[in-house]
Structure formats: C-alpha cells, structure tokens
Amino acid sequence: MNDKKHTKRRLPSKTKQAIAFLIMAMCQHNAICQSGFKLNNIEYMSEMSGTASGGDYAPFWLTSNKYGLSSIENNSGYIRGGIFRDIENDSLKKWRFGFGADIVIPANYTSNFVVEQLYADIQYKRVRLSIGSKEREMELKNQKLSSGGLTNSVNARPIPQVRIEVPEFWTIPGTGNWLALKGHIAYGAFTDNNWQKDFAAEGTRYTKNVLYHSKAGFLRIGNADKFPITFTGGLEMCAQFGGEAWNVGKRDDDTSDFDGSHVVMDHGIGAFWNAFIPGGSDPRDGDYKNVEGNQLGSWHFSIDYLGKGWSLRAYAEHFFEDHSQMFVQYGWKDMLYGIEAKLPQNPIISNILYEYIGTKDQTGGVYHDATSTLPVQISGVDNYYNHSIYLGWLHWGQTLGNPLLISPIYNQNGTIMFYNNRIKAHHIGISGEPTDFLKYKVLFTHVKSWGSYQYPHTDPQYGNFFMLELSYLPKKIKNSLIAISFGTNGGNLINKSIGGSITIRKSGLIK
C-alpha cells in the first residue's frame, strides 16, 4: 500500500455519528460491558500521495495491488484520513471490538470521493463478526511482494459485506497443537453501479446492484514448536449473483424468446442459497442449464520450513471457474506457483520471492454441451474472470484477482471484459531494511499474453513491469513515513511508460 502523512482533518459528522452509534449499540450488550471494554487505543492516520508519468498509462506496479486506491492515468493523487481501533487491543479479553473509518479525496480517479474503509469488528473468543468495507489480506501470500492471488488479491476496492470468520488459526482440541482451522462466510454488495454505466459504450453490457458472496476454509497440519515443517491447504470460493444487467444478448443455440436488453436476476433466499451451494440457473442459459451467478474459486497449498532466524515457504494456487476445473477431471494445468525466503537479519535482503503464473489452458479451447446427436459434455473455454451476464470478476474497473490478467479499466473501447486472460508470467519481489530508518522494495514482472480464446492475439503480446520503492522513516517524527517510488512499463501489452510517485504518511494515537 501507499504511505501516509498527518494533516489536521476531521471526519464528516455523519461518519462520526455512525461510528458512535455502533459503539453504543455494542455497549448495550452486558457481556461486552462486563468484560471491561474501553474505547481506548484509537489511532489516526493521514496520507498524501501523487503520481506523475509519461506514456499511455501510469506504470503498472504504481497502480496495481493498492486496494483500488490508484489511477491508471498519467497524473493523479489523493489526500486521505482515517481513524482506527485494532481489535487486538482487546486480545486478552473474551469480547473484542475494533473499527475503522478511512476517507479519500482523489484527483483523476474513477470517482471524486472514496470511502475506502468503514467497518466494525466484534469478536467473542475465536469467532468474529465483521461488518462493512475493510482492506482484507490475501490467503497464504506475501501481501507486499506477491503478484496477487488468482481469486482474491489486494488489487481492487474493498467490497462492503457482512462476514463471520475465524480469522486466525484455531487449534483443534485434543490434537496437541498439530491441527488448526480457520475460515469465513460472507455476503456483500458491489458499489460500482455508476462506474459501469458511465464506462460502458452504447449497446455493451453493464450491471448494477450485484451481490457478492465468499467463503473459505483452511487446515494447517504441524506444530512449529516441535517440528519445523508445517503444511496448510484449503479452498476459497466466491460468487457474483442477483442484480440487473443490460444488453446481455442471447446464446446462439437458444430458441427461447429471451430478451437480454434488461435482465433482472433473483434476489430471494434461493439466490443466496445457490450462491453458497452452487445451483439454480441464469436467465440466459436457455436449454443448457448452468449454475446461477458467476462462481469461481481457488485451491491453496503451502509448505513452510521454519529455521532459526529464517524461513522458507513454497506455495501453489489452482484457480477454477464454475465446476470444470474445481476437481481433477481435466487436469490442473493452470496454476500459480511461488517460493519465498525470509533471510536472517542483514542490511541487504530481508525477503525474496519468485512466482510463476500460468492461465493459458483454461480446460482447453473446445466447449460442447451434450445433445441427442452428440451426448458428450466437454467443458472447455473457461474464459477466466469473464461472465456472460456479470461481465467480469472486478470492482470499479480493477480485477479482484491477479492484476496480470489486465483489468477492464485499461480497455479503450468501452467494454467491460478481460481480453488478456491467457498468460504466462514470471514475477520477482525483493524487500530489505538497510537501516532502521530506510526500507526498500523491488518488483519485476515479465508477462506474455495470448489474449483470450474469444479474442486471441495474432502474435503474443508481452509486458515488462518494474518498480523500486524507497521508504524513509524519520527518527524525529514518530510514526511517519516518506516513500518515493519509480516504475516503468515495457513491451506492447499496455505499452511503454515511465514515472514516479511520492507518498507521505503520519499516524499515531489519539490522546
């Protein structure tokens, strides 16, 4: 994420009233009040950032994996302010409470005012209820160096949601700390109605009031206190459902009188259940029923070795659309593989990471529904991140998944579609702390794109994306940071550019 500078700013009165209401509502619960809950350790954060560049777009790594708080335009910036209370302030109590309010005023962005975060967290023992928009971390990835998860990354604006979770691994009783679980279930809503309508060219598809669902479960095997190797695996699934769509169009093989100019999807209890357990069908399916909504997800695997003062980690993520790649019927050819090393303390390199991403197969280039003349089902042409009704796996133009499958916000023809979802990429991330007041981060990615099965490139396109970020932490000004970033784009995937940014941050306790 970008870094932050303190300026004296006040939250809007409505925001303060909303936070106060949530706090008072929680304190009505006797169990919370009796636990000794106090509204202490509230932190403020302020930040100012600006980017300037030449070329068609701002450098890729100055834009991507910023929780959507970025612009692809050459010149942009923002001022930002927020207040937060970390739920871990109550870590010794049965009942815990945290909240955050994070407001941004940007320039040359997709909107002129951004509520980046506005949430409340309530936790009893291991179980947490989280309500609102919150910047959430990826599963089993380095948040600062990874290219991004295939299902969920840190690339797009947070989606407001109601989420029940066990956020940290909970040891299963009776296993001697050798088995632990964590997971979540969430429902929410996309907030990019106006952006989609404004961005979409006349006659092209767009949606509004689309609903969101996600769930995940992870199992960790191993006890690092007794044996240095641990294994973690799990399943993460998401869905887009409900809402309305325009200009959907009919399937070529649909003989019904379906009018796709305006389609209203189901918002009832059945739709929520079909999002949780994939089922039902969409209005466009005709005679060939598929599951309702846009269903996608990932299998995750990680092996960790913990040494004395250092660690090594290998991980993999397999992405799937619908059910065709969820299991091994067609083989798992599309994967993200990574290896990360945390080195013993030294002034040169602290972390080094390498990732390989391949999404070229997508179950092959042939799709066929079973018919009376040819009763064979072939589930190919998965078309990652695209959907016939819900357009794509994105929020405010930026993909919710890995940004190397170039987001629709780059499309100059006004279509909300992923044109570069068949890729192979190599990604390197390095970070270090030469001194206690200076940090750095380096990212370099080489990506080669074959376009998509529907819109293939005649010749593969490629991109080389580089970024160097230096962060200075002044000793005389506590909890402050000045970050200077330099980035370049090479190749013809999103064309060449060069530029830089500066970010100033200040944070601290409100006394």
Side-chain angles (χ1 to χ4, degrees):
M1 281 193 53
N2 291 337
D3 306 304
K4 310 171 183 176
K5 172 186 175 185
H6 173 50
T7 55
K8 293 183 178 179
R9 300 179 63 226
R10 297 182 179 179
L11 288 172
S13 59
K14 290 184 179 179
T15 302
K16 292 190 289 185
Q17 292 171 4
I19 294 173
F21 175 79
L22 286 170
I23 294 169
M24 288 188 292
M26 292 303 102
C27 285
Q28 295 298 318
H29 198 299
N30 289 334
I32 298 178
C33 296
Q34 291 171 6
S35 70
F37 166 73
K38 295 180 180 179
L39 190 61
N40 56 5
N41 296 321
I42 299 176
E43 297 183 340
Y44 70 87
M45 175 275 295
S46 58
E47 180 173 292
M48 180 182 299
S49 182
T51 299
S53 63
D56 291 338
Y57 304 103
F60 185 82
W61 286 125
L62 299 186
T63 298
S64 303
N65 287 347
K66 307 284 186 182
Y67 286 103
L69 196 55
S70 60
S71 172
I72 67 171
E73 304 296 332
N74 294 118
N75 303 306
S76 63
Y78 63 81
I79 56 174
R80 178 182 189 182
I83 59 171
F84 304 88
R85 185 179 192 272
D86 192 338
I87 200 169
E88 293 306 314
N89 288 317
D90 302 324
S91 60
L92 300 179
K93 302 174 182 177
K94 290 183 178 179
W95 284 96
R96 306 178 188 180
F97 179 67
F99 63 81
D102 184 4
I103 309 301
V104 183
I105 301 175
N108 223 6
Y109 275 48
T110 52
S111 56
N112 297 320
F113 182 81
V114 178
V115 180
E116 180 71 4
Q117 301 184 84
L118 184 61
Y119 65 89
D121 290 341
I122 308 144
Q123 183 167 334
Y124 179 71
K125 294 185 177 179
R126 296 284 184 175
V127 181
R128 180 181 301 175
L129 172 65
S130 183
I131 303 173
S133 298
K134 184 179 181 181
E135 294 180 347
R136 305 181 189 278
E137 294 187 345
M138 298 178 283
E139 300 289 356
L140 307 183
K141 301 285 191 306
N142 184 304
Q143 308 303 311
K144 295 182 178 180
L145 297 182
S146 173
S147 66
L150 294 177
T151 295
N152 280 309
S153 66
V154 293
N155 188 59
R157 290 190 197 175
I159 296 174
Q161 58 193 266
V162 177
R163 180 181 177 109
I164 298 176
E165 61 184 339
V166 178
E168 306 295 336
F169 277 102
W170 167 70
T171 300
I172 300 175
T175 64
N177 294 330
W178 283 90
L179 295 177
L181 295 170
K182 76 169 187 175
H184 80 268
I185 298 174
Y187 285 93
F190 290 81
T191 63
D192 57 356
N193 294 345
N194 293 335
W195 177 85
Q196 288 204 23
K197 186 175 181 180
D198 292 342
F199 184 86
E202 183 177 357
T204 63
R205 291 178 297 140
Y206 65 93
T207 62
K208 77 172 186 179
N209 300 329
V210 174
L211 301 178
Y212 167 85
H213 168 65
S214 73
K215 54 185 172 286
F218 289 85
L219 173 66
R220 186 180 67 196
I221 304 172
N223 185 338
D225 294 330
K226 295 183 179 180
F227 188 72
I229 298 176
T230 59
F231 169 82
T232 305
L235 174 64
E236 173 184 32
M237 293 186 68
C238 295
Q240 294 169 294
F241 69 103
E244 302 174 54
W246 280 262
N247 307 316
V248 171
K250 293 175 61 175
R251 283 179 51 149
D252 293 337
D253 53 5
D254 185 6
T255 58
S256 70
D257 58 355
F258 169 72
D259 179 7
S261 59
H262 181 211
V263 181
V264 179
M265 273 72 75
D266 185 12
H267 283 77
I269 294 176
F272 281 79
W273 178 253
N274 287 334
F276 182 67
I277 303 294
S281 63
D282 286 323
R284 186 180 184 271
D285 288 348
D287 297 329
Y288 304 103
K289 302 299 183 184
N290 204 337
V291 297
E292 182 175 351
N294 183 22
Q295 297 273 354
L296 49 92
S298 290
W299 290 99
H300 294 265
F301 307 95
S302 172
I303 298 177
D304 293 75
Y305 179 87
L306 182 62
K308 293 183 178 180
W310 66 280
S311 64
L312 186 65
R313 187 162 160 277
Y315 54 94
E317 179 181 357
H318 169 67
F319 178 78
F320 57 86
E321 292 265 13
D322 297 319
H323 59 273
S324 59
Q325 278 283 342
M326 187 173 181
F327 300 106
V328 294
Q329 177 184 2
Y330 296 92
W332 286 3
K333 297 181 181 180
D334 291 338
M335 301 284 293
L336 183 155
Y337 296 103
I339 185 166
E340 177 187 2
K342 295 183 179 180
L343 304 180
Q345 187 173 0
N346 70 86
I348 303 174
I349 297 177
S350 300
N351 284 48
I352 183 168
L353 171 152
Y354 166 77
E355 291 179 341
Y356 167 79
I357 304 99
T359 65
K360 189 181 176 184
D361 181 63
Q362 302 191 28
T363 326
V366 177
Y367 179 86
H368 183 267
D369 284 304
T371 64
S372 58
T373 56
L374 184 61
V376 178
Q377 167 72 33
I378 302 175
S379 295
V381 195
D382 285 343
N383 206 7
Y384 292 168
Y385 295 177
N386 287 314
H387 191 266
S388 59
I389 292 179
Y390 292 102
L391 307 176
W393 186 234
L394 76 157
H395 196 213
W396 287 90
Q398 298 275 27
T399 177
L400 290 156
N402 192 291
L404 295 175
L405 281 70
I406 310 300
S407 296
I409 198 169
Y410 287 94
N411 296 346
Q412 296 182 351
N413 60 359
T415 57
I416 304 176
M417 178 181 292
F418 289 83
Y419 287 99
N420 291 280
N421 58 18
R422 299 182 64 233
I423 69 165
K424 289 186 177 181
H426 302 271
H427 173 78
I428 297 172
I430 302 173
S431 64
E433 300 181 20
T435 70
D436 58 357
F437 59 86
L438 182 65
K439 300 179 181 180
Y440 76 87
K441 178 173 72 173
V442 176
L443 302 177
F444 175 75
T445 308
H446 173 75
V447 57
K448 191 174 184 180
S449 171
W450 284 261
S452 65
Y453 279 123
Q454 186 176 6
Y455 298 99
H457 295 314
T458 304
D459 295 310
Q461 296 183 349
Y462 73 95
N464 293 317
F465 307 135
F466 170 81
M467 186 195 73
L468 168 64
E469 179 180 276
L470 298 175
S471 298
Y472 171 64
L473 294 76
K475 289 185 176 181
K476 294 183 178 181
I477 308 176
K478 293 183 179 181
N479 300 314
S480 62
L481 182 147
I482 301 172
I484 299 175
S485 302
F486 169 78
T488 63
N489 291 347
N492 59 357
L493 186 55
I494 55 175
N495 294 335
K496 298 179 180 180
S497 67
I498 184 171
S501 68
I502 182 169
T503 304
I504 305 172
R505 175 189 300 168
K506 179 70 175 72
S507 61
L509 285 175
I510 297 176
K511 297 184 179 179

